[in-house]
Amino acid sequence: MIVALTASALVACTPLPDNKADGRVDEPLSVTTTPRIALPARPAELPLDGVDPCTVLSADQRMQLSLDNPPSAYVESSFGNAKACTIRSSISGNVVRLVLVTVEGIEVWLSENAQVEAAPTTVSGFPALTVRTPGIDDVCTVEVDVAAGQFLDVMFRDGGNKTQVKQDILCQGAQRAAEAAVAGLLQRG
């Protein structure tokens, strides 16, 4: 009896969609919430302060990733003027970007404001997220939680190939590049 009364009260309180002049009906917007992702603890701290992003990957690692052009350093303003490096492959046509973010932690990708699809993964035992932006399918990033309030952003994108690379393949490339980058950071340790 109480269940029936509660259900009828909910139905009575639910606003009905308005009919438009042309006969269409606008449906109420559905409410979507981002599920809370719990990341495991880091196995160690790999602070990024003072690291040159263009030296994170060794020449051998770059060749294993088919990154045959010289690294190019710059500052990424969207991550608080973080040090960044891009490396292009004339072999595959793809591009890798490494950004050493020291002004905020990986949690920024779990915020509802991020407007991305974040899936948990690990990189060499470190908690990480594979991040895809809805509507943008020529790029994939892996965000690695390397230290408190810091993360390594590894983007892998299609650099303008004749045949567009599928995003799942780009995500695999981002994962491989992230593994190599964390290995490079661990060797510094």
Side-chain angles (χ1 to χ4, degrees), residues 43-100:
E45 292 283 313
L46 285 176
L48 301 174
D49 306 287
V51 176
D52 177 351
C54 289
T55 63
V56 170
L57 296 175
S58 69
D60 285 343
Q61 288 174 314
R62 291 194 310 268
M63 287 312 297
Q64 289 172 4
L65 295 167
S66 300
L67 301 171
D68 57 336
N69 284 301
S72 177
Y74 69 101
V75 173
E76 181 59 59
S77 60
S78 62
F79 288 117
N81 293 326
K83 292 186 281 183
C85 184
T86 57
I87 312 165
R88 179 176 287 278
S89 171
S90 58
I91 299 165
S92 68
N94 296 319
V95 178
V96 170
R97 177 194 72 186
L98 303 176
V99 182
L100 310 181

Side-chain angles (χ1 to χ4, degrees), residues 122-170:
T122 58
V123 173
S124 300
F126 285 82
L129 298 167
T130 300
V131 176
R132 299 173 192 233
T133 303
I136 300 175
D137 58 359
D138 63 347
V139 65
C140 186
T141 59
V142 172
E143 314 297 346
V144 187
D145 183 16
V146 293
Q150 299 185 356
F151 66 92
L152 170 66
D153 170 83
V154 180
M155 180 193 72
F156 198 86
R157 72 175 173 86
D158 184 333
N161 293 301
K162 287 182 183 178
T163 304
Q164 185 173 349
V165 179
K166 294 185 181 194
Q167 191 172 41
D168 287 343
I169 301 298
L170 296 173

